[in-house]
Amino acid sequence: MKLHTLLEALQPYQTYNEDSIEITSIENDHRKVTEGSLFVCIKGYTVDGHDLAAEAVKAGAVAVIAERELTLTVPVIVVKNTKRALSVLADTFYEHPTHQLQLIGITGTNGKTTTSHLIEKIIQDHGKKTGLIGTMYTKVGDEVFPTKNTTPESLTLQKTFRQMVDANVSAAVMEVSSHALDEGRVHGCDFDIAVFTNLTQDHLDYHGTMEEYKRAKGLLFAQLGSRFQKNSPKYAVLNADDAAAEQYIRSTSAHILTYGIDRGADFKAHSISIKAGGTSFTLESPLGNYNVNMKLIGKFSVYNVLAAISTAVAAGIPIRSILASIEEVEGVSGRFETVDAGQDFSVIVDYSHTPDSLENALQTIREFAVKRIFTVVGCGGDRDRTKRPIMAQISCSYSSDPIFTSDNPRSEDPHAILADMEAGATGENYKIIPDRRDAIRYAVRQASAGDVILIAGKGHETYQQIGDKTFDFDDRIEAKKAIEER
């Protein structure tokens, strides 16, 4: 694509001659630059791309986008904000791929991964090829790729969407994090349906306050667009039981579909029955009332399913097809996943790393637990410290045997993290075992018939970050080994 064609989408900017250059790729990492690349200088947390522009030119960059004038041998296009420019350029270079997809974005503190997988299955079962972008991985059809962030930056996103279009994907489902919304990573993404799961405490290390966190989440709905299109309407799917939904309703001009359990909603569940083998409920909807029997467990699972049902209806899928898919779902990796090695007690691995998600998991376990409940839980380092004592307090309140341990301590001292947790457990009975492997083994050795062990916080993760090193670590594998060693 010619440089001048790319720049036509970019306003305002200043450039210096020779704007008819052929651009073969756009890069914001100087190590990925090849002959013909357009290099975009991004100011990161530790590295400023402006300082690496000369290296990018040596590697073959034929033009540079920057926020200030640079002395280089290639044209330099100066813009006010290179991150914003990157999203526009990426969307243009990859020929607006989201205009050719039914794009569904899901935001919220908890439930994004499970809800996205439920929606993906429903759409696939309806005969459409799907794409998926989220915490666990990126998928284009059946092909799986690793992912670093819940929501990639704009360049990677648009390149991925282009791959999806070229692979004849018709619907893409993606998790949209508050960080991504606040940083503009999804600028240029033409969402058709935006979904809100819930808002509870998390990421205050980044956002500072819950109000700012709520504002960031709301950007997904405010950016849905104000144009009413009969043949391709926009929808906001909102959890009516969460107070934040009222603000998001005011923020969007899209059509509104609500779901919930406790308040009035378009798609509402009642007569909920939770057992160890699954959950059943009655669905009330504008399309009629239906009995739903699913293998997923817990009230939080009902919310995720309601979100998926509402979204699928907005996507034009028949309700009976939707419910048939829901009833087939076994579960999602690392989300209330059971570990079965023939033992006579239950072991559950869950990604619950926020106070709300931990409380939801433990409330669900108490629905069917008949004896002791062991909770192995830690808190991540270099993240929101204020939730640490709350996580500990919840563990003590809902389990008979809370065990505090390490999660991903990162650059922090694991003992300092545990001390923060202890502040919320004053006067309670608990055990501290800093080594996560030892903590899991201890819980397994202590458990007897009928007990339940919850290993919380890491879920699907297959690593542990300690200091500047990353080690192989999977709660499911460790639990199975501990059971087999008994």
Side-chain angles (χ1 to χ4, degrees):
M1 183 177 288
K2 295 294 184 182
L3 178 59
H4 69 82
T5 303
L6 274 172
L7 297 181
E8 285 174 357
L10 200 60
Q11 297 292 339
Y13 67 90
Q14 295 177 359
T15 188
Y16 307 94
N17 63 47
E18 298 187 49
D19 61 355
S20 62
I21 297 167
E22 184 69 25
I23 300 298
T24 58
S25 72
I26 300 175
E27 304 295 348
N28 62 341
D29 183 339
H30 72 289
R31 296 165 297 183
K32 296 181 180 179
V33 168
T34 57
E35 191 63 40
S37 293
L38 171 64
F39 180 67
V40 183
C41 303
I42 302 292
K43 292 179 182 178
Y45 292 110
T46 57
V47 178
D48 186 344
H50 293 80
D51 299 331
L52 301 167
E55 289 187 41
V57 172
K58 285 182 183 178
V62 292
V64 172
I65 306 288
E67 292 181 0
R68 63 175 186 266
E69 290 187 39
L70 299 172
T71 304
L72 300 171
T73 57
V74 301
V76 177
I77 297 90
V78 179
V79 298
K80 292 179 180 178
N81 186 312
T82 50
K83 279 191 175 181
R84 282 182 173 271
L86 180 61
S87 62
V88 175
L89 293 167
D91 181 54
T92 303
F93 184 79
Y94 290 108
E95 300 177 318
H96 317 294
T98 59
H99 296 190
Q100 302 168 64
L101 294 166
Q102 183 177 54
L103 183 59
I104 300 167
I106 305 161
T107 198
T109 307
N110 304 312
K112 295 187 297 297
T113 298
T114 298
T115 302
S116 66
H117 281 76
L118 291 171
I119 295 168
E120 179 199 30
K121 175 174 172 53
I122 293 167
I123 296 173
Q124 285 179 343
D125 289 350
H126 192 56
K128 293 184 178 181
K129 190 172 184 179
T130 60
L132 180 73
I133 299 173
T135 304
M136 294 167 58
Y137 42 65
T138 291
K139 288 175 68 179
V140 179
D142 295 326
E143 198 170 358
V144 179
F145 305 91
T147 185
K148 293 181 180 179
N149 300 315
T150 297
T151 312
E153 45 84 22
S154 59
L155 182 61
T156 302
L157 265 182
Q158 297 300 335
K159 186 176 183 179
T160 302
F161 289 136
R162 183 74 253 167
Q163 285 179 275
M164 291 181 182
V165 171
D166 292 343
N168 297 315
V169 165
S170 58
V173 186
M174 66 179 290
E175 299 178 46
V176 187
S177 69
S178 57
H179 293 67
L181 287 161
D182 192 58
E183 294 174 359
R185 292 184 218 161
V186 293
H187 285 173
C189 296
D190 185 20
F191 290 99
D192 296 289
I193 304 172
V195 186
F196 169 61
T197 58
N198 49 62
L199 188 79
T200 60
Q201 183 176 333
D202 200 14
H203 304 307
L204 296 190
D205 54 308
Y206 177 90
H207 294 289
T209 66
M210 283 298 295
E211 194 60 33
E212 267 299 298
Y213 183 34
K214 180 169 69 172
R215 180 201 63 80
K217 292 288 188 190
L219 292 173
L220 181 61
F221 306 96
Q223 293 170 7
L224 266 177
S226 296
R227 179 175 157 193
F228 296 112
Q229 303 174 88
K230 183 179 179 181
N231 296 327
S232 55
K234 306 283 189 181
Y235 285 93
V237 176
L238 305 169
N239 180 354
D241 290 347
D242 194 296
E246 289 300 322
Q247 179 173 317
Y248 301 156
I249 288 172
R250 296 194 301 271
S251 298
T252 186
S253 61
H255 299 294
I256 306 291
L257 284 179
T258 59
Y259 65 91
I261 297 171
D262 301 323
R263 299 182 185 178
D266 298 313
F267 294 84
K268 185 173 182 178
H270 68 83
S271 303
I272 299 170
S273 175
I274 300 170
K275 297 180 180 178
T279 306
S280 63
F281 64 91
T282 299
L283 172 69
E284 291 182 355
S285 81
L287 305 173
N289 296 347
Y290 301 88
N291 294 322
V292 181
N293 298 288
M294 61 187 195
K295 298 169 187 174
L296 302 177
I297 302 171
K299 187 176 180 181
F300 65 92
S301 293
V302 176
Y303 277 110
N304 294 336
V305 164
L306 288 172
I309 291 171
S310 308
T311 302
V313 169
I317 299 175
I319 186 67
R320 292 196 181 277
S321 174
I322 294 168
L323 298 180
S325 295
I326 291 296
E327 293 187 356
E328 290 179 357
V329 174
E330 297 283 350
V332 176
S333 179
R335 271 62 180 175
F336 218 76
E337 181 178 353
T338 58
V339 178
D340 187 357
Q343 76 276 12
D344 55 4
F345 53 90
S346 299
V347 177
I348 297 167
V349 172
D350 191 64
Y351 190 52
S352 42
H353 62 288
T354 67
D356 182 66
S357 59
L358 179 63
E359 186 172 23
N360 285 338
L362 285 168
Q363 283 179 335
T364 297
I365 288 170
R366 289 183 68 164
E367 292 275 351
F368 60 82
V370 293
K371 290 189 175 180
R372 297 162 74 187
I373 300 174
F374 294 80
T375 300
V376 179
V377 63
C379 293
D382 303 329
R383 299 293 186 268
D384 179 11
R385 290 183 60 182
T386 65
K387 71 181 182 182
R388 294 172 184 173
I390 303 172
M391 297 279 283
Q393 187 272 323
I394 290 169
S395 302
C396 292
S397 297
Y398 287 94
S399 51
S400 57
D401 295 80
I403 303 166
F404 304 156
T405 189
S406 293
D407 191 290
N408 291 317
R410 300 182 178 90
S411 70
E412 286 195 66
D413 179 354
H415 295 88
I417 296 173
L418 289 166
D420 286 342
M421 293 183 69
E422 277 195 276
T426 305
E428 302 285 354
N429 292 317
Y430 59 88
K431 193 166 187 68
I432 293 179
I433 304 177
D435 184 279
R436 193 173 183 90
R437 182 176 287 110
D438 290 344
I440 292 171
R441 284 175 176 166
Y442 174 83
V444 168
R445 285 198 301 267
Q446 295 298 311
S448 57
D451 291 344
V452 181
I453 299 173
L454 172 66
I455 306 174
K458 290 172 61 60
H460 66 282
E461 292 179 354
T462 57
Y463 60 86
Q464 188 174 30
Q465 293 176 305
I466 303 174
D468 59 357
K469 295 182 179 179
T470 301
F471 301 90
D472 289 338
F473 197 99
D474 188 319
D475 285 348
R476 297 160 296 189
I477 292 174
E478 296 301 329
K480 189 174 182 181
K481 285 181 179 177
I483 294 165
E484 291 170 345
E485 289 171 2
R486 272 173 55 109

